[in-house]
Amino acid sequence: MRMLTSWLINAIVLWVVTALLSKVTYSGVGHLLLAAAVFGILNTFLKPIARLLTLPLAIITLGIAWFFVSMLMLWLTAAIVPGFAIHGFWTLVWATIIVWAVNLIVDIVIGSWRAERSSRRQHA
């Protein structure tokens, strides 16, 4: 269930990016869903490794290096999935910022929902 939820959230996040940035495109819902799955897999398996490898640089740059790791995950998604494209470096930068912002909002909403749910369990 958690995996399905994560996949759907990734699909919504990528859809928001495509709705806000005309240079991020997908050629059909199937490609968007595939991009969401690939993005989730990359973030689950490759991103932690990349973050570990860039830890010294992240310390020196006060975490800015990890923004580039996030950009890499989005760029790799576009490179892997046919029918999902990000056209241009600055579009990639803005897409990464939008992904971060939408994920932050989702984490706040789901986080508060989880807190309510767990408090109801404790009181029951």
Side-chain angles (χ1 to χ4, degrees):
M1 183 66 174
R2 186 172 184 252
M3 221 169 168
L4 179 64
T5 303
S6 176
W7 178 47
L8 290 174
I9 289 170
N10 280 334
I12 291 167
V13 167
L14 293 178
W15 178 81
V16 168
V17 170
T18 62
L20 294 174
L21 299 174
S22 62
K23 292 185 178 183
V24 179
T25 59
Y26 65 97
S27 58
V29 174
H31 290 110
L32 184 67
L33 293 174
L34 179 59
V38 169
F39 189 59
I41 291 167
L42 289 172
N43 280 329
T44 300
F45 296 106
L46 185 58
K47 189 173 186 178
I49 296 167
R51 286 183 69 148
L52 182 63
L53 291 173
T54 59
L55 180 61
L57 187 58
I59 292 169
I60 293 169
T61 63
L62 303 175
I64 293 172
W66 284 341
F67 179 78
F68 291 98
V69 170
S70 294
M71 282 178 58
L72 176 64
M73 297 305 113
L74 202 51
W75 179 81
L76 283 172
T77 299
I80 292 169
V81 178
F84 180 77
I86 300 172
H87 305 280
F89 174 79
W90 290 109
T91 303
L92 178 61
V93 170
W94 281 108
T96 305
I97 291 168
I98 292 167
V99 166
W100 172 80
V102 173
N103 276 324
L104 180 66
I105 292 166
V106 168
D107 284 346
I108 290 169
V109 170
I110 289 178
S112 64
W113 175 78
R114 284 184 191 155
E116 285 178 22
R117 186 174 167 184
S118 69
S119 69
R120 280 188 281 183
R121 284 185 186 166
Q122 290 174 354
H123 294 304

